[in-house]
Amino acid sequence: MAPSDLLPSLTRRQLGLGAIALAGGLAAGPRAWAATGKGTAVLGIDADPPTLNLGTTTDFAAGDVSAKILEGLVWLDQQYNPQPSLATAWTVSPDGKTYRFTLRKGVKWHDGRDFSSADVRFSLTEIVGKLHPRAAPVFKNLGVEVEAPDASTVVIKLQKPYAPFLSQMTVFDAPILPRHLYENGNVGTNPANQKPVGTGPFKFSEWKRGSTLTLVRNDQYWDAGKPYLQSLIFQVIPQAANRVPALQTGEIDELLDFYTPKPEVPRILADKDLTTRRGVNIPAIYFLMFNTQSPLLSKVEARHALAFAIDRPRLVKQVMNGIARPGAGAFGDGFKWLMNDEVGYDRKYPLNPAKAKVLLDKLGVKPGTTTLRMPFDAGRAQMRAQAQIIQDNLRQIGLEVKLEPLERSVYYDRVFAKRDFDMTLASYFSAGDPAIGYTRLYNTYTGTAPNTNASGYSNPKVDSLLAEAATSVDRAQRARDYKALQVILNEDLPSLVLFDEETVDTASKKLSGVFPALDARDQWAGVRRAD
């Protein structure tokens, strides 16, 4: 059945051909419609995802779409507790090294094939464990082995304990993919990366590049009666200024924080027709990554100079409308138990442009003689606003910054594949634990996967401490490791954390059951619509 068969006749108004669409930000597309709990929800995103294979990317939009198609062994509720998904139960050995999962029976892939433990073993060993930007280095460090003693059982063995292991078994860090579609050929070029087949509540239907990506109800979903919605349409809105108006006029039904320009948040919070979830649900940091191989930024004194020159409180105020906190150190301040205030940014790098100029002068850098190239993801309003403020900050100490706004796939290629930049802006989610989300920013990495450490920074002591912090089951010991890491990383400064974000996720009140999970992109099977 084509997506259009699921929708009634649409008026010109419903097709969104008003001022917003004509402004070029909202491509014309089908509107939501509902009856007796069915219907369609339209979700705003900022750009086409580079892939829909969550085993190879942590791209936010890719996760937004594919979390409705694919599943992990567990999902995390708002209190960080693992809940059953493709696994119905699990046990952990006393030494924390062996996890036994009982898999859900009777689950079908969207193409009708049976799901089994062989799919889990293949996904974790051949895709996630080798290609996932967050999970692959963790799996390698842990020496992960996966056994499938029968069709409904998976046993995962670690060479050493790993505190957040269950938290990493979600669709975002350990998605389960169909072995029968991936076991032959190159994973990166597999057609299923663009037309995924999963076990989740919605099935891939149609992708109109630059416009809409449509999912339809999985009538054979293992959770009987769900999903409640008939279809989901992801509406690409590349112009950030057009996203909140689209939400308020009903052209879209949901807009997550990642896509929301922070200056627009007061309008959202004041709108009685919208439901919002505000606060720190998953710690996340925005940062400036330095290319430590570039002529100027290879020198730690130059990186220190930039830290003294960049006005982090101004970024919080003007970019995030106050809905953030100035960067405090290498791991932000989202995990209070690991903070090392003795070497925090407030002490080491208070705003001091005069000191920045002195450091540059000692390096022989004359005002107006050096230009730094800064590519960034043009689809994200926060990145553009940050870039402009940083450009202004650095011009005041005699450095020019060439802003290079790029389409997301081009940005990924420039920064992570070619490493052709001087500094760049990015943000990483912690996924609930610093070992899951932040390790990839600092550990030695020579690959080309997006959202990894592209700085070129490599420090064996840092690698060792990151591994220890990830594998200890004692939080006090983990805290000591992370505090020791901050002593090194806040000094070496391969990346400068600009701020910790707080989130405002928003949906129309016509939708119910939204945001049950820690990650707002997850668990859409229980969402209903009532017009």
Side-chain angles (χ1 to χ4, degrees):
M1 178 179 291
S4 57
D5 295 331
L6 303 171
L7 303 169
S9 298
L10 302 172
T11 67
R12 183 175 178 82
R13 178 181 179 85
Q14 289 172 317
L15 283 168
L17 297 177
I20 296 172
L22 293 175
L26 179 58
R31 273 296 305 129
W33 170 81
T36 63
K38 299 296 183 182
T40 295
V42 182
L43 288 63
I45 58 176
D46 60 349
D48 286 314
T51 177
L52 295 178
N53 181 351
L54 289 189
T56 64
T57 186
T58 56
D59 177 82
F60 191 88
D64 201 351
V65 176
S66 293
K68 284 79 170 170
I69 301 171
L70 305 172
E71 296 179 296
L73 294 177
V74 304
W75 64 277
L76 300 181
D77 65 22
Q78 291 191 20
Q79 287 71 48
Y80 292 84
N81 298 312
Q83 300 294 337
S85 186
L86 286 177
T88 58
W90 49 87
T91 59
V92 185
S93 64
D95 64 3
K97 295 181 182 180
T98 302
Y99 291 74
R100 178 179 290 269
F101 293 90
T102 300
L103 302 183
R104 193 174 300 278
K105 296 181 180 179
V107 176
K108 296 281 187 181
W109 292 102
H110 294 161
D111 61 5
R113 298 281 290 268
D114 291 331
F115 159 79
S116 78
S117 60
D119 296 300
V120 178
R121 184 179 185 278
F122 177 84
S123 297
L124 297 184
T125 58
E126 300 304 318
I127 300 180
V128 171
K130 293 180 179 179
L131 301 172
H132 193 275
R134 280 195 299 250
V138 172
F139 275 40
K140 181 179 179 180
N141 177 45
L142 297 175
V144 170
E145 297 179 359
V146 184
E147 300 175 356
D150 60 61
S152 299
T153 306
V154 168
V155 179
I156 302 178
K157 297 182 178 180
L158 317 179
Q159 291 182 0
K160 42 195 170 183
Y162 177 57
F165 183 76
L166 273 176
S167 297
Q168 202 154 9
M169 291 296 101
T170 69
V171 68
F172 302 106
D173 282 83
I176 306 306
L177 297 150
R179 183 186 67 159
H180 62 278
L181 294 182
Y182 279 97
E183 61 185 339
N184 297 315
N186 185 292
V187 171
T189 59
N190 195 300
N193 295 340
Q194 305 299 317
K195 297 181 178 181
V197 172
T199 58
F202 293 94
K203 301 189 295 184
F204 176 87
S205 177
E206 183 181 34
W207 190 348
K208 295 180 179 179
R209 304 276 173 170
S211 178
T212 58
L213 200 159
T214 302
L215 312 183
V216 296
R217 186 178 192 272
N218 175 14
D219 293 332
Q220 303 301 317
Y221 189 48
W222 53 262
D223 195 350
K226 294 182 179 179
Y228 298 129
L229 293 171
Q230 193 67 22
S231 61
L232 298 177
I233 299 173
F234 292 87
Q235 179 75 63
V236 178
I237 310 177
Q239 297 298 325
N242 291 337
R243 294 175 198 148
V244 171
L247 179 68
Q248 292 189 299
T249 58
E251 298 299 333
I252 60 174
D253 302 304
E254 184 221 47
L255 188 67
L256 298 185
D257 179 84
F258 183 88
Y259 315 118
T260 304
K262 285 299 186 292
E264 300 292 313
V265 168
R267 290 176 57 190
I268 291 174
L269 296 177
D271 194 322
K272 296 180 180 180
D273 293 325
L274 300 175
T275 298
T276 58
R277 181 174 79 163
R278 178 176 179 175
V280 182
N281 56 329
I282 308 176
I285 54 175
Y286 282 66
F287 55 89
L288 184 66
M289 184 189 294
F290 301 119
N291 184 344
T292 62
Q293 310 302 313
S294 72
L296 178 59
L297 297 177
S298 62
K299 303 174 179 65
V300 70
E301 297 86 356
R303 302 197 293 272
H304 288 177
L306 268 63
F308 281 115
I310 294 173
D311 191 341
R312 298 186 298 279
R314 179 183 171 190
L315 291 171
V316 168
K317 182 179 180 180
Q318 295 184 3
V319 176
M320 303 298 283
N321 203 32
I323 307 174
R325 302 175 306 283
F331 301 99
D333 69 358
F335 298 98
K336 303 302 182 185
W337 55 270
L338 60 76
M339 291 293 296
N340 188 345
D341 294 329
E342 294 299 314
V343 295
Y345 287 176
D346 282 347
R347 292 194 178 192
K348 290 181 69 70
Y349 308 113
L351 183 64
N352 193 336
K355 188 166 185 176
K357 290 180 181 179
V358 170
L359 289 171
L360 292 176
D361 184 64
K362 287 181 178 180
L363 292 173
V365 179
K366 303 302 180 184
T369 63
T370 302
T371 298
L372 299 174
R373 298 165 300 140
M374 184 161 68
F376 60 90
D377 183 346
R380 301 184 61 188
Q382 290 91 330
M383 298 307 180
R384 186 180 296 274
Q386 286 179 80
Q388 292 169 343
I389 291 173
I390 291 171
Q391 182 185 50
D392 179 58
N393 289 161
L394 298 190
R395 184 173 289 135
Q396 294 177 34
I397 63 169
L399 296 175
E400 291 299 320
V401 178
K402 181 183 178 183
L403 305 186
E404 299 180 335
L406 303 173
E407 187 272 331
R408 184 165 298 158
S409 62
V410 179
Y411 164 77
Y412 282 158
D413 182 63
R414 276 282 303 279
V415 172
F416 298 100
K418 296 177 180 175
R419 299 195 175 182
D420 181 18
F421 69 101
D422 292 309
M423 55 188 184
T424 190
L425 294 165
S427 65
Y428 286 174
F429 281 94
S430 66
D433 192 280
I436 301 177
Y438 297 161
T439 292
R440 58 187 163 140
L441 181 54
Y442 301 113
N443 67 326
T444 300
Y445 184 73
T446 58
T448 61
N451 299 319
T452 51
N453 177 15
S455 72
Y457 176 75
S458 177
N459 185 325
K461 179 62 175 176
V462 167
D463 292 344
S464 176
L465 283 169
L466 286 170
E468 290 176 16
T471 56
S472 174
V473 295
D474 179 3
R475 174 172 282 193
Q477 180 57 51
R478 298 187 75 203
R480 288 191 289 272
D481 289 336
Y482 281 116
K483 288 179 179 181
L485 279 161
Q486 288 166 76
V487 172
I488 301 171
L489 293 170
N490 289 2
E491 176 65 22
D492 289 356
L493 217 64
S495 288
L496 174 69
V497 174
L498 301 172
F499 51 83
D500 280 74
E501 75 164 354
E502 298 179 16
T503 59
V504 179
D505 298 312
T506 313
S508 166
K509 284 188 175 179
K510 294 178 181 178
L511 299 181
S512 61
V514 294
F515 313 143
L518 182 66
D519 193 309
R521 299 170 293 176
D522 203 4
Q523 298 303 300
W524 269 71
V527 175
R528 297 177 185 269
R529 180 181 181 89
D531 281 324

